[in-house]
Each structure stands twice: as C-alpha cells, then as structure tokens.
C-alpha cells in the first residue's frame, strides 16, 4: 500500500547549507534503496518535505526524521493512502523556499514568505504540485 506524508520542521542550524546537503544526500541514498520518492523544500530555516512509498517504509522514515537531531518542531501536516505517486520522478527533489516566485507564494499564503506552519497540509501539497508543474524543483535524482 502506497502512502504520502507531508511534514514541516525547523533546522537546528538554520544557516548551515552543509546540513541541507547532508540531508539531501542521505535521503537520496536511503530513499532509492527503500522505494521512497519525494521533495524536500527548505528556506529560512524551515524544511517542508513530501515523502511517498510503502506505508511501513514511509512511517519508519518519518519516525527517523522525528528523532534526527538536525530537525526540531517536526509537525505532521498531511498523511494519506494513495493509488499512485505524484513525486515518483524524484528520489528527493529540492526547492529553496526562500527563492520562490512571490506570485506563486501569494497564491497559497497571506504573506509573500511561505510559512508551512501557518497553512493547511493541503495548501502546502498544492504548492508542491505547482512547483512541480512550473519546473521549480531541481535534483531529479
């Protein structure tokens, strides 16, 4: 059974690009081996991540993220059973939240800076889908 999970967290070291790159590298390796796909968005010290795959693999990964010392204030935004993947082309695509087009952000947010903590999981998922449709996601590895 496939599931999709969306969560938000804050980086313990918000200015560390090494931490973001380390998370992406470990995610890509782990995800490839475990049938997990998804997208990681980051910016302003915030991570927004959608992960898809088998229920056990996704649940295990989410529990690992909760315990990961690089993340704090982890909140589950959305969880659902799915019939097909939306982010199947990425072991872990990436988007820099701080560099989003303001018009796209304002479509989903009250302010020009996107804050996943202040919107619903469905809104965050809709933003990710728009980013995918507008080719804003990089790292199709």
């Amino acid at each position: 059974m496939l599931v999709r999970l969306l969560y938000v967290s804050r980086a313990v070291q918000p200015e560390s690009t090494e931490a973001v790159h380390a998370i992406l590298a470990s995610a890509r390796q782990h995800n490839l081996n475990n049938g997990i796909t998804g997208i990681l968005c980051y910016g302003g010290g915030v991570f927004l991540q959608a992960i898809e795959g088998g229920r056990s693999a996704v649940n295990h990964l989410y529990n690992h993220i909760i315990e990961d010392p690089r993340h704090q204030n982890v909140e589950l935004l959305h969880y659902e059973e799915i019939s097909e993947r939306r982010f199947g082309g990425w072991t872990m695509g990436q988007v820099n939240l701080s560099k989003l087009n303001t018009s796209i952000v304002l479509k989903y947010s009250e302010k020009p800076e996107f804050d996943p903590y202040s919107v619903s999981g469905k809104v965050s998922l809709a933003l990710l889908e728009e980013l995918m449709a507008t080719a804003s996601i990089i790292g199709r590895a």
Side-chain angles (χ1 to χ4, degrees):
M1 170 186 304
L2 290 174
V3 299
R4 179 178 303 115
L5 182 150
L6 183 66
Y7 77 89
V8 64
S9 68
R10 295 198 186 281
V12 171
Q13 296 177 328
E15 302 305 318
S16 174
T17 56
E18 291 95 22
V20 172
H21 292 298
I23 288 170
L24 280 166
S26 64
R28 287 182 176 136
Q29 180 60 43
H30 173 269
N31 295 354
L32 180 63
N33 295 333
N34 291 283
I36 294 174
T37 57
I39 298 173
L40 176 67
C41 301
Y42 61 92
V46 173
F47 294 105
L48 173 66
Q49 185 172 22
I51 50 179
E52 300 171 323
R55 181 172 49 199
S56 293
V58 168
N59 291 348
H60 179 76
L61 177 57
Y62 181 64
N63 286 329
H64 176 76
I65 290 165
I66 290 171
E67 299 298 322
D68 189 324
R70 298 171 293 188
H71 295 270
Q72 61 187 352
N73 306 114
V74 179
E75 287 189 24
L76 179 65
L77 299 177
H78 187 76
Y79 187 94
E80 66 180 327
E81 295 176 357
I82 57 175
S83 58
E84 62 185 33
R85 298 172 193 249
R86 289 187 182 153
F87 309 111
W90 293 273
T91 53
M92 192 49 57
Q94 65 184 30
V95 175
N96 188 333
L97 287 174
S98 61
K99 294 185 178 182
L100 292 180
N101 183 311
T102 303
S103 63
I104 291 175
V105 173
L106 286 172
K107 185 174 178 180
Y108 299 99
S109 177
E110 293 177 19
K111 298 179 182 179
E113 300 84 29
F114 187 71
D115 178 10
Y117 285 100
S118 67
V119 298
S120 72
K122 288 185 178 186
V123 166
S124 293
L125 192 56
L127 173 66
L128 292 179
E129 289 174 349
E130 175 133 355
L131 295 174
M132 187 173 61
T134 59
S136 298
I137 299 168
I138 60 173
R140 195 177 188 103

